[in-house]
Amino acid sequence: MKSLPRRDFLTLGAAAGAAAFLPGAAFSASPAGTGLHGLSVFGDLKYPPDFKQFDYVNPDAPKGGAFNFPPPNWAYNQSPFTFNTLNSFTLKGDAPPRMELCFDALMARAMDEPDAIYGLLAESVTISEDRNSFDFALRPQARWHDGTRLTAQDVAFSLTLYKEKGHPDLLLPLTELDEARALDAGTVRLRFSGRQSSQTLLTIATMPIVSRAYYSDNDFEAGRMTPPLGSGPYKVGRVSAGQFIEYERVPDYWGTDLAVNRGQHNFERLRIDFYSDRQAAFEAFKKGDTHFREEFTARVWVSDYDFPAIAQGKVVKREFPGEKWPSMQAVALNQRREQFRDVRVRRAIGLCFDFEWTKRTLFAGSYERSQSNFERSDFCAEGMPSPAELTLLQPFRDELPPETFGEAVMQPVSDGSGRDRKLLGQAVKLLAEAGWKRTGDFVVNARGERLKAEIMCNEDGLARILLPWTENMQAIGIEASVRMVDSAQYAARQNDFDFDMNMAAISIGATPTVDGLETIYSSRAAGRPGTRNYPGTESPAIDALVAAAGKAQSREELVTALRALDRVLRARLDWIPTYYLANHRVAYWDMFGFREPKPDYGFPVETLWWFDKDKAAKIGKA
């Protein structure tokens, strides 16, 4: 799974409360009582009030052409494999990726700054003296696709609706929102409890706004294939449930010339075809039915991009730099299952993953071993804890594994044989210490129950990577297997936490928000279906460290809190880090234009690139 740089949330316990956010310091660089064109948690904004466009766009990019692509990431209840609803903002059903392009938000993110947002629906935002109230002045020209005005009542309705019935990615960040109220048709006030993080507003201000009129007449939670009324640069065009969806550019889109939109949304039509089989999707790209593809399988990237269109120069194969934000790819061990609650069992399972063999044999040497949940960032813990980290960790010494307070835990390095006897011997010892004794082919507990570990999977390529891991687990007596399920079952079981182990790839943004951290790590997310706390982590220490990250009033404080959190996560092994790739591996039919270098904090090809008629003519695609 991939997630958009994105997300999520509820209420922390007493320990976390000790590190509660100090609202008076929020946006301390932003004056109260003054209409602001943008917001940033830390530091000054790059763009002034009169900026014309973002630096990474081409303001003169032509409009037109079609772009058919498989989305490399998705959000909310979306699925890249199938869909049965066009409602993307509730937990129910599977929606197609990019439905959010049909809706506007109060503000839009800049992809060349780590945490800045600028006015979209909102022309300005005014902060109260106590930093708990935010008044957004809406642009009077904002319109729904039916021509009616988008008002403050729509904004207040949307946020209130999400807080009650929204997908967890939308619902949880709204926990500390006490009120969303329209002061008049053009002004909406968001009033918080005082317990919110300074980062929470950035999450809420970028939530899609839906129509009060539409959802007053239609059930928000119903699985409908009728497109909801939108306001964004695209609207739903042709659609066939589970097969394809087309998004058509809105020719009279009200926000085309806004600074946050100029040079973007250039394709006349976006199309997504849905394939249950990776090879079928690849064949569609080779034929030119699909125009762009990001490759996530090392073997395919190395060996299979030798088809005629590559040789003829019609298809370009290249790498683009990855984003400058932390990434996480790891296997979650679901501690709602009793057998995974002992950290020694989790460590034993981690010792069975032979990354060095996998890299050489299956990855063609192209991946690196993940050590952290914040890989490729300053938030990775290194060496011994700093004094500032120890200040945060010390109150929880009795709860935390001793390894938390030593050198940052590193994943084991194998001999690359595929079955490292030394590491497997350590795993056997850990299982014995945890009460699992070998009886015949299996290890059993005091009740005679076998230790079982089933890894849920929905892709053949991933199964190839996971099977050798389960074979090593079997070698030490664990009844291990890989369970292949279809995409709909995978989404449902993942949302309901109905699995032993599963792999997830999650991006959490250059400045991780407390909302996004909570949906992955906090106790209050553990029991809420649809969050990304797949291991079921419930830890006062982790809750407090997440809260400390929300409290941070400087990037230095944020780095300290997240490094301390990283130490805890690596010592607990709720998630077993697997591997990562530094760059985007992409191939595309050579008929597009784009500006280089790409922005540091995003790679939405479908909104930044444009159709180049001359290039298309040269390869016979005009």
Side-chain angles (χ1 to χ4, degrees):
M1 159 195 171
K2 286 259 182 185
S3 308
L4 288 170
R6 20 196 194 288
R7 297 132 144 73
D8 323 333
F9 345 112
L10 270 133
T11 43
L12 302 178
F21 170 65
L22 303 178
F27 305 106
S28 56
S30 302
T34 301
L36 306 171
H37 73 293
L39 294 171
S40 175
V41 174
F42 306 123
D44 297 328
L45 296 169
K46 173 180 178 179
Y47 294 97
D50 59 349
F51 81 102
K52 303 303 181 184
Q53 74 274 326
F54 293 128
D55 289 345
Y56 50 84
V57 306
N58 174 10
D60 301 316
K63 307 294 185 184
F67 187 65
N68 189 325
F69 73 113
N73 45 43
W74 49 94
Y76 312 122
N77 68 346
Q78 296 170 1
S79 168
F81 302 108
T82 188
F83 66 99
N84 50 36
T85 180
L86 295 180
N87 181 1
S88 188
F89 308 132
T90 179
L91 182 58
K92 297 181 179 180
D94 298 305
R98 301 306 182 263
M99 277 300 298
E100 64 274 9
L101 292 176
C102 301
F103 300 88
D104 286 317
L106 288 170
M107 307 185 85
R109 294 190 181 276
M111 286 180 278
D112 54 354
E113 298 178 86
D115 58 19
I117 57 175
Y118 296 88
L120 200 172
L121 286 172
E123 193 167 31
S124 66
V125 55
T126 302
I127 306 174
S128 66
E129 290 288 347
D130 66 2
R131 308 280 171 171
N132 286 327
S133 184
F134 301 84
D135 289 356
F136 291 87
L138 303 189
R139 300 181 192 273
Q141 67 269 37
R143 290 289 183 275
W144 295 105
H145 291 157
D146 64 0
T148 57
R149 183 180 176 185
L150 192 157
T151 68
Q153 286 81 3
D154 291 306
V155 178
F157 171 84
S158 298
L159 300 181
T160 303
L161 178 67
Y162 292 156
K163 185 172 181 177
E164 180 184 356
K165 299 179 179 180
H167 187 278
D169 288 357
L170 299 164
L171 183 155
L172 294 176
L174 294 164
T175 299
E176 301 302 338
L177 179 68
D178 281 348
E179 181 184 40
R181 178 163 60 95
L183 303 183
D184 53 48
T187 311
V188 64
R189 172 170 295 171
L190 306 186
R191 181 74 184 176
F192 292 88
S193 66
R195 296 184 297 272
Q196 77 283 357
S197 162
S198 58
Q199 303 145 347
T200 296
L201 181 67
L202 273 66
T203 301
I204 294 174
T206 54
M207 288 181 176
I209 300 303
V210 297
S211 165
R212 180 179 67 161
Y214 179 85
Y215 281 114
S216 294
D217 294 335
N218 296 279
D219 182 2
F220 174 69
E221 295 182 292
R224 294 177 178 271
M225 288 303 298
T226 302
L229 180 63
S231 63
Y234 286 93
K235 62 181 180 181
V236 174
R238 295 198 308 148
V239 60
S240 178
Q243 298 183 44
F244 72 86
I245 186 169
E246 293 183 349
Y247 298 101
E248 298 175 351
R249 192 170 66 86
V250 177
D252 56 350
Y253 170 48
W254 73 272
T256 296
D257 294 325
L258 295 179
V260 294
N261 286 330
R262 191 169 290 123
Q264 302 183 60
H265 315 122
N266 302 311
F267 293 109
E268 197 67 29
R269 185 174 72 256
L270 302 175
R271 179 179 171 114
I272 301 171
D273 289 309
F274 291 77
Y275 300 92
S276 58
D277 179 75
R278 181 184 289 269
Q279 188 59 39
F282 187 45
E283 293 300 324
F285 174 72
K286 289 162 64 174
K287 292 189 297 182
D289 295 339
T290 302
H291 303 143
F292 173 94
R293 177 180 173 85
E294 184 163 0
E295 185 56 66
F296 296 103
T297 303
R299 173 185 55 80
V300 174
W301 182 253
V302 171
S303 304
D304 293 359
Y305 281 80
D306 57 356
F307 49 91
I310 290 274
Q312 295 162 5
K314 295 181 179 182
V315 170
V316 177
K317 175 190 177 188
R318 61 168 289 187
E319 295 189 11
F320 289 86
E323 284 65 62
K324 294 182 178 179
W325 59 48
S327 66
M328 166 184 157
Q329 181 153 306
V331 167
L333 291 89
N334 187 358
Q335 292 169 52
R336 300 170 188 86
R337 308 280 206 259
E338 183 181 355
Q339 68 266 34
F340 301 122
R341 292 174 188 163
D342 192 314
V343 67
R344 292 169 294 188
V345 172
R346 301 196 294 271
R347 287 177 187 159
I349 290 174
L351 286 165
C352 293
F353 177 47
D354 192 329
F355 171 76
E356 284 66 34
W357 179 89
T358 304
K359 178 178 179 178
R360 186 186 75 250
T361 307
L362 302 179
F363 291 162
S366 60
Y367 285 91
E368 299 300 328
R369 181 69 195 262
S370 293
Q371 300 292 343
S372 166
N373 288 36
F374 307 111
E375 200 62 64
R376 298 188 298 133
S377 77
D378 293 338
F379 308 130
C380 291
E382 296 180 349
M384 297 294 291
S386 69
E389 291 172 51
L390 284 173
T391 298
L392 296 174
L393 293 170
Q394 191 62 41
F396 305 97
R397 182 175 284 273
D398 291 343
E399 173 198 339
L400 297 173
E403 293 83 359
T404 307
F405 297 90
E407 295 278 342
V409 171
M410 302 293 287
Q411 299 306 307
V413 177
S414 78
D415 61 12
S417 65
R419 187 159 294 186
D420 187 315
R421 292 183 178 274
K422 180 180 178 181
L423 295 184
L424 295 182
Q426 294 174 15
V428 168
K429 183 179 179 181
L430 285 168
L431 291 181
E433 291 174 357
W436 295 91
K437 307 300 182 183
R438 189 71 177 247
T439 301
D441 292 334
F442 302 100
V443 292
V444 298
N445 62 16
R447 298 189 296 270
E449 299 166 334
R450 295 177 183 177
L451 175 54
K452 297 181 179 181
E454 178 186 273
I455 310 179
M456 187 174 68
C457 174
N458 66 345
E459 293 186 34
D460 289 336
L462 186 56
R464 291 179 65 247
I465 299 166
L466 298 174
L467 279 169
W469 192 349
T470 61
E471 290 169 358
N472 277 342
M473 283 191 264
Q474 292 165 7
I476 64 170
I478 299 174
E479 187 176 335
S481 61
V482 174
R483 170 64 65 88
M484 284 286 294
V485 298
D486 62 42
S487 57
Q489 185 180 1
Y490 185 89
R493 289 183 60 180
Q494 184 170 253
N495 284 338
D496 291 336
F497 310 125
D498 182 19
F499 56 84
D500 290 345
M501 300 168 61
N502 80 322
M503 182 179 285
I506 303 174
S507 298
I508 55 175
T511 301
T513 67
V514 67
D515 311 299
L517 294 169
E518 285 185 356
T519 195
I520 306 170
Y521 305 118
S522 78
S523 299
R524 63 183 183 175
R528 180 175 288 277
T531 69
R532 289 160 181 78
N533 188 343
Y534 300 134
T537 302
E538 295 186 79
S539 162
I542 289 177
D543 291 343
L545 293 170
V546 168
K551 174 188 174 184
Q553 298 304 306
S554 68
R555 185 161 289 275
E556 181 181 9
E557 291 182 9
L558 181 66
V559 168
T560 296
L562 292 182
R563 285 183 178 176
L565 176 60
D566 190 38
R567 289 183 187 280
V568 174
L569 294 170
R570 288 160 69 169
R572 283 176 52 98
L573 273 190
D574 298 320
W575 299 82
I576 299 176
T578 52
Y579 49 87
Y580 72 93
L581 187 69
N583 297 326
H584 295 280
R585 297 180 300 209
V586 304
Y588 55 90
W589 286 78
D590 193 13
M591 56 184 183
F592 305 112
F594 50 87
R595 186 164 183 173
E596 296 198 73
K598 64 173 281 296
D600 288 336
Y601 303 107
F603 191 45
V605 171
E606 65 275 17
T607 61
L608 296 182
W609 288 19
W610 62 89
F611 181 74
D612 188 315
K613 291 183 179 179
D614 293 336
K615 285 185 175 181
K618 289 180 181 179
I619 64 170
K621 289 281 190 177

